[in-house]
Amino acid sequence: MPRESDLPKIVAVNTDEGEPGTFKDREIVEQDPHQVIEGVLIAAYAIGASRAYVYIRGEFFLGVKRWIKAIADAYEAGFLGKDILGSGFNLDMSVHRGAGAYICGEETAMLESLEGKRGEPRQKPPYPASVGLFGLPTLVQNIETLACIPHIIQRGPSWFAGIGTAESKGPKIFSISGHVNRPGNYELPLGISLSDIIFGYAGGIPGGRHLKAVIPGGASTPFLRGDQVNVPMSFEGLAEAGSALGTGGIIVMDESTCIVEAVRRLSKFFAHESCGHCTPCRIGSWRIYEILERVEKGEGHSGDIDLLLDLVDGIDGHTYCPMGSALVNPVRSAIQHFRPEFEYHLTHKSCLVNGVK
Amino acid sequence: MADSDRLENSPIIANPQKQTKLLAALYLAQEEYGWLNPEAIEHVADRLGLSPGQVRSTASFYSMFNLEPQGEYRIQVCEGLSCYLAGGAETIIDYLAHLLNIQPGETTADGKFSLEVVQCIAACGSAPAMRVNDELYENLTLERIALIIRELEGGSP
């Protein structure tokens, strides 16, 4: 935040989680809003803000209800409003519902949406910290980050930094879904092995089937092969393995999964959720989806794999916001790790895993 | 440091664009009119001092605003990767289409049910999942879906 500015400052809380495989924010929103309210209070105090906006994903019906009540309770108890607990510090907070647009999880799209507009990302710079909501300096933070703050203030930074690895500090909520016996959210230290989460906490794969592939950090992170899961779930560990920590949303696929179908499904999500602002994302994502659809159905053309890679190169880094390039990761990595499966679809007009389609 | 008086008096906040209230107003109008028909759009535009075009522009961006009439029960089935891996998605969509005798995107003749296919609904850990109006149904089986539909056929919202 610019120190020299005397414009009023704002805290905007991002709870617009909507990426396949990621469902941690929903649990925080529904189960413990007060922990986050406390985090927002501390953040607002630190930057000198007296207004906070909480943007919650429209589909979190229960979460929205609980937040409205939690904020009312906090006002009642004197934790929000004017002269909080006699400190002279003021903070007003309100809840704002999104309305079903994945892109609004991008910080500037979220600010547009808070202003009542189409959720199309803004050009950066200027960053929200200097020109944010209503043009005012705005601190945008995810709800999971804000939920950590009260604990850090209470127990001290060295306690927090003592969890995790040297480069990835603190705890992280990992959402795990797909082919595991105990899907759900697990709060664990950063750096824990992916294999321990899958085979330990989540109880392994049903029916004794073999692990085929994992997406370790939500739909926009690159696939890992089943033999790559002895990897630490940290920023540096996953980067070294060719993937990314992303949201920590782990999607597990066993040997019965057709990778072409998995990527087709992910690409449909990204095509559907493109905000339409820029061409590489708006057109590129649908082209990728259409090609994967025909390859999966056994109607692909020879050269489709190279066409996919070419499209991916045309999108990567050429979109208006980072979300436009998110689709690149699953498509490119799936072809890199499972190319024979794509080729099988093309030459046999059927699926390697599920037989004739 | 900014206190809330200063915030209220800031030229930007004291006259925030009326548009800021648009999403909340659209939710209210949708509840009132059932869907965002031209009359509802006009109503919102009038109240906020915006043009109907501006209101429609924002409304059409967001999937939760209905610019077409919907059934009394709007059934939304997730086709995301995790729901698919958990045995949901098409299995559930096909079953509901058969049960209600409509295709995704359609509404039953009596206006009771509409069937929609949607992307992720943040229930990957309790997949497969679907939503009926603002109720989320998780860990679905076909038997449970049949029960849910039977219950909704009998009851009122």
Side-chain angles (χ1 to χ4, degrees):
Chain A
M1 305 292 282
R3 272 173 197 276
E4 64 283 2
S5 164
D6 21 277
L7 287 168
K9 297 181 182 72
I10 286 174
V11 178
V13 182
N14 186 343
T15 313
D16 194 48
E17 163 189 86
E19 182 157 302
T22 307
F23 45 95
K24 63 185 173 60
D25 290 357
R26 182 182 146 209
E27 190 149 336
I28 303 171
V29 168
E30 289 179 359
Q31 306 300 330
D32 203 349
H34 284 292
Q35 166 174 238
V36 185
I37 291 175
E38 194 179 342
V40 177
L41 266 159
I42 297 165
Y45 181 77
I47 64 161
S50 52
R51 188 70 174 88
Y53 293 81
V54 182
Y55 187 86
I56 299 188
R57 182 174 175 188
E59 288 95 337
F60 291 170
F61 295 93
L62 180 63
V64 170
K65 277 185 204 154
R66 292 204 170 147
W67 264 82
I68 290 170
K69 178 165 187 331
I71 288 178
D73 289 349
Y75 270 102
E76 182 114 341
F79 298 144
L80 286 173
K82 293 217 186 302
D83 192 21
I84 294 166
L85 302 177
S87 63
F89 176 66
N90 309 317
L91 184 70
D92 284 309
M93 192 181 293
S94 53
V95 172
H96 300 261
R97 252 182 105 183
Y102 167 68
I103 188 61
C104 291
E106 194 281 335
E107 58 179 358
T108 61
M110 183 185 87
L111 298 176
E112 287 288 296
S113 186
L114 273 171
E115 293 181 6
K117 299 174 191 156
R118 297 166 68 85
E120 288 171 14
R122 297 175 182 171
Q123 192 173 348
K124 290 192 272 192
Y127 292 93
S130 28
V131 183
L133 192 64
F134 313 121
L136 298 172
T138 304
L139 173 75
V140 184
Q141 283 293 354
N142 175 266
I143 191 169
E144 188 185 6
T145 308
L146 290 162
C148 289
I149 293 181
H151 306 286
I152 298 171
I153 297 294
Q154 202 150 34
R155 303 190 205 192
S158 53
W159 162 79
F160 188 82
I163 303 169
T165 70
E167 286 168 73
S168 306
K169 295 182 170 66
K172 174 87 190 79
I173 301 175
F174 296 103
S175 307
I176 183 164
S177 65
H179 293 143
V180 286
N181 283 310
R182 288 193 298 270
N185 285 314
Y186 297 88
E187 186 170 22
L188 296 163
L190 278 167
I192 186 164
S193 150
L194 175 55
S195 167
D196 284 352
I197 301 180
I198 297 173
F199 295 101
Y201 293 94
I205 294 162
R209 290 189 298 272
H210 292 290
L211 178 62
K212 179 172 186 176
V214 184
I215 294 174
S220 59
T221 57
F223 280 76
L224 293 173
R225 292 187 315 270
D227 61 5
Q228 289 180 297
V229 293
N230 285 319
V231 58
M233 290 294 284
S234 62
F235 294 104
E236 66 279 13
L238 283 163
E240 202 173 311
S243 190
L245 183 62
T247 62
I250 303 162
I251 307 175
V252 178
M253 288 158 268
D254 71 22
E255 58 189 322
S256 70
T257 313
C258 167
I259 295 296
V260 181
E261 170 56 19
V263 190
R264 183 198 71 85
R265 216 165 267 274
L266 290 172
S267 70
K268 188 173 183 186
F269 168 79
F270 285 106
H272 183 267
E273 294 299 334
S274 171
C275 84
H277 186 96
C278 70
T279 317
C281 173
R282 183 183 66 244
I283 307 289
S285 60
W286 279 106
R287 286 292 290 136
I288 286 177
Y289 168 64
E290 286 161 7
I291 295 163
L292 283 165
E293 172 109 327
R294 74 178 182 225
V295 173
E296 202 283 326
K297 278 186 180 161
E299 295 163 6
H301 310 161
S302 65
D304 270 354
I305 298 175
D306 291 330
L307 181 56
L308 282 170
L309 291 172
D310 192 37
L311 276 164
V312 154
D313 286 343
I315 296 173
D316 196 8
H318 302 134
T319 54
Y320 197 69
C321 81
M323 290 207 187
S325 293
L327 167 63
V328 163
N329 292 321
V331 177
R332 190 185 273 151
S333 60
I335 295 174
Q336 180 198 338
H337 293 311
F338 301 98
R339 190 170 178 130
E341 217 168 308
F342 287 80
E343 282 164 354
Y344 190 95
H345 273 262
L346 287 176
T347 50
H348 292 74
K349 309 289 178 202
S350 69
C351 181
L352 188 59
V353 179
N354 300 328
V356 182
K357 274 267 162 187
Chain B
M1 290 289 108
D3 61 34
S4 62
D5 288 342
R6 253 178 80 202
L7 184 67
E8 291 313 320
N9 296 331
S10 123
I12 309 169
I13 292 290
N15 300 301
Q17 294 160 329
K18 291 186 169 162
Q19 202 162 352
T20 301
K21 298 175 180 136
L22 186 49
L23 265 65
L26 285 168
Y27 270 118
L28 288 173
Q30 182 160 290
E31 215 169 281
E32 189 70 24
Y33 289 85
W35 61 289
L36 294 175
N37 58 26
E39 199 189 338
I41 298 271
E42 194 89 27
H43 191 161
V44 170
D46 262 6
R47 287 296 300 271
L48 296 184
L50 300 166
S51 74
Q54 274 174 297
V55 173
R56 218 189 134 81
S57 162
T58 292
S60 66
F61 188 82
Y62 297 94
S63 65
M64 291 179 74
F65 294 133
N66 308 327
L67 294 168
E68 302 289 336
Q70 297 291 328
E72 186 184 344
Y73 296 105
R74 187 182 181 190
I75 304 173
Q76 299 181 302
V77 185
C78 177
E79 65 164 344
L81 180 55
S82 295
C83 276
Y84 163 73
L85 295 173
E90 283 75 14
T91 315
I92 290 177
I93 296 157
D94 293 349
Y95 182 66
L96 277 165
H98 159 78
L99 216 56
L100 301 169
N101 200 21
I102 51 172
Q103 289 306 304
E106 294 179 352
T107 301
T108 52
D110 61 359
K112 194 119 187 167
F113 297 100
S114 14
L115 180 60
E116 261 176 274
V117 177
V118 296
Q119 301 298 320
C120 192
I121 52 177
C124 315
S126 41
M130 69 175 190
R131 209 168 46 218
V132 182
N133 297 345
D134 30 5
E135 201 71 44
L136 184 63
Y137 295 91
E138 298 166 277
N139 298 307
L140 288 171
T141 58
L142 298 187
E143 293 74 23
R144 243 190 99 214
I145 291 170
L147 281 174
I148 292 163
I149 297 298
R150 205 171 310 151
E151 212 164 281
L152 294 176
E153 272 170 342
S156 53

